Amino acid sequence: TNGGYRYTTGSNAFRFNQDIFRYEGRVRVNTNSDGTQTFQVLAGFFDTFTAVNQVDGAYFLYDSQGVSTSSAASGNWQIVTVSNSVRTFTTTSVAIDNTNLQKLRIDVNAAGTSVDFYINDVNVGTHTTNIPTGSSRLFGNGVYLQKSAGTTARTLDVDYLYMKTKFTTPR
């Protein structure tokens, strides 16, 4: 019932506010979450690899039952920034697609003051609040499916995951 599957860096070694970051992946959520078979999907930068509530990150969230603290119960992708457990959620106008892969991209500026979210190369929102930038606000990246009710297995297709850091000063 409460299992999860993840494909992540497995460690928190990155932080915003010193370099440009990009996360990209193509995923397909194969079936909708419902009241009896409930699950959530996270994709992007996050720091807690075994839970849907994150302490630090910038990610896409599918949470049709509103399980994640302060999220909306929506069949659409939500975009989230969170710093020290203070979260900003925005529900996009884009529903998950059970048939086609969706390209999810997150761009974070070098100062760590703005995060742009894209679905299939269309900007679906920008966040300027609750972006983790402190030296102790570290994160990794990946995708995570968390089951929270029911016993029927659920799957998430992942075509690729990509993360890029562009250094703003020579190393």
Side-chain angles (χ1 to χ4, degrees):
T1 297
N2 292 313
Y5 174 78
R6 64 200 132 289
Y7 187 81
T8 67
T9 55
S11 67
N12 296 323
F14 307 107
R15 74 176 174 145
F16 299 140
N17 86 341
Q18 52 191 8
D19 299 307
I20 298 168
F21 279 86
R22 173 171 285 175
Y23 167 90
E24 187 176 292
R26 281 186 6 135
V27 302
R28 175 179 43 235
V29 180
N30 290 301
T31 188
N32 292 343
S33 177
D34 60 35
T36 57
Q37 301 297 325
T38 305
F39 62 94
Q40 302 77 44
V41 174
L42 288 83
F45 301 108
F46 51 93
D47 67 339
T48 306
F49 301 116
T50 58
V52 71
N53 285 319
Q54 298 298 309
V55 177
D56 294 301
Y59 54 92
F60 288 91
L61 173 68
Y62 169 62
D63 185 11
S64 68
Q65 303 301 306
V67 173
S68 178
T69 302
S70 300
S71 75
S74 173
N76 291 358
W77 286 107
Q78 296 177 64
I79 55 176
V80 184
T81 50
V82 54
S83 181
N84 203 23
S85 297
V86 179
R87 298 172 184 90
T88 299
F89 289 89
T90 302
T91 302
T92 73
S93 61
V94 181
I96 64 156
D97 189 332
N98 302 134
T99 305
N100 301 297
L101 291 160
Q102 292 177 297
K103 181 179 172 184
L104 306 177
R105 187 176 99 209
I106 302 168
D107 289 337
V108 183
N109 71 356
T113 57
S114 180
V115 180
D116 291 312
F117 295 86
Y118 298 84
I119 299 176
N120 295 329
D121 295 320
V122 175
N123 187 303
V124 294
T126 300
H127 280 190
T128 58
T129 58
N130 299 318
I131 302 168
T133 58
S135 61
S136 63
R137 310 271 49 106
L138 303 178
F139 54 85
N141 67 81
V143 293
Y144 178 55
L145 184 148
Q146 171 69 51
K147 193 84 186 298
S148 55
T151 57
T152 302
R154 294 295 182 233
T155 59
L156 172 71
D157 292 337
V158 178
D159 182 40
Y160 72 89
L161 298 176
Y162 169 84
M163 193 207 72
K164 178 181 179 180
T165 303
K166 182 176 180 182
F167 298 122
T168 55
T169 56
R171 302 278 186 339

